């Protein structure tokens, strides 16, 4: 199995997050675990909205994904979610929204793998 790409997540943001919490790995771990648990809910809501061509229904979960991804350093996913949010705000969804959602899912998997690897390394004391 290939090693996760830790560069999918901006390590500087994780370092800033650690510093802002006084290096409280417990808090950071809980924040990341909450993100990992909650993100599939956002994807489900976005998928339902896209399938129903419900542009307004896409806005909130895409906005939530954008913000939460940025908080944990998943900046590429945050950017894709911003594009999905803007598609929803435009009032109409097209094939690009479905493609964007598919791209977001692939990026989400890479980000989740990277964040899990980060937590594993932190637990092993490999990272500061």
């Amino acid at each position: 199995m290939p090693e996760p790409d830790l560069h999918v997540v901006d390590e500087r943001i994780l370092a800033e997050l650690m510093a802002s919490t006084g290096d409280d790995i417990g808090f950071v771990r809980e924040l990341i675990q909450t993100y990992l648990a909650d993100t599939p809910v956002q994807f489900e809501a976005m998928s339902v909205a896209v399938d129903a061509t419900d542009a307004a229904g896409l806005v909130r979960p895409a906005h939530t994904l954008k913000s939460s991804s940025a908080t944990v350093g998943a900046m590429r996913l945050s950017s894709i979610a911003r594009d999905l949010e803007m598609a929803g705000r435009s009032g109409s969804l097209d094939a690009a929204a479905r493609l964007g959602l598919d791209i977001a899912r692939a990026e989400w998997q890479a980000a989740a793998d990277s964040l899990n690897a980060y937590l594993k390394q932190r637990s092993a004391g490999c990272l500061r």
Side-chain angles (χ1 to χ4, degrees):
M1 173 178 276
E3 288 293 314
D5 180 0
L6 289 176
H7 295 95
V8 169
V9 173
D10 189 332
E11 294 175 32
R12 296 170 300 181
I13 291 174
L14 290 173
E16 289 170 11
L17 186 57
M18 282 294 294
S20 73
T21 64
D23 287 334
D24 184 349
I25 186 58
F27 177 82
V28 172
R29 177 177 285 107
E30 185 176 328
L31 181 72
I32 291 172
Q33 288 172 337
T34 298
Y35 170 76
L36 293 172
D38 288 350
T39 298
V41 174
Q42 306 312 320
F43 271 106
E44 178 61 25
M46 290 188 299
S47 183
V48 166
V50 169
D51 288 347
T53 60
D54 176 9
L58 180 60
V59 174
R60 183 178 297 273
H63 176 81
T64 299
L65 180 61
K66 173 188 74 174
S67 300
S68 61
S69 295
T71 298
V72 298
M75 301 311 293
R76 293 190 315 216
L77 182 53
S78 180
S79 178
I80 296 164
R82 183 201 55 196
D83 292 345
L84 288 167
E85 178 186 5
M86 292 297 103
R89 289 188 190 282
S90 77
S92 65
L93 300 180
D94 57 14
R98 169 60 58 198
L99 179 59
L101 188 55
D102 291 344
I103 292 168
R105 278 194 179 98
E107 187 63 28
W108 154 244
Q109 188 58 59
D113 291 348
S114 181
L115 288 166
N116 280 314
Y118 172 82
L119 291 176
K120 184 176 178 182
Q121 289 178 345
R122 288 297 307 212
S123 294
C126 298
L127 296 174
R128 179 172 182 266

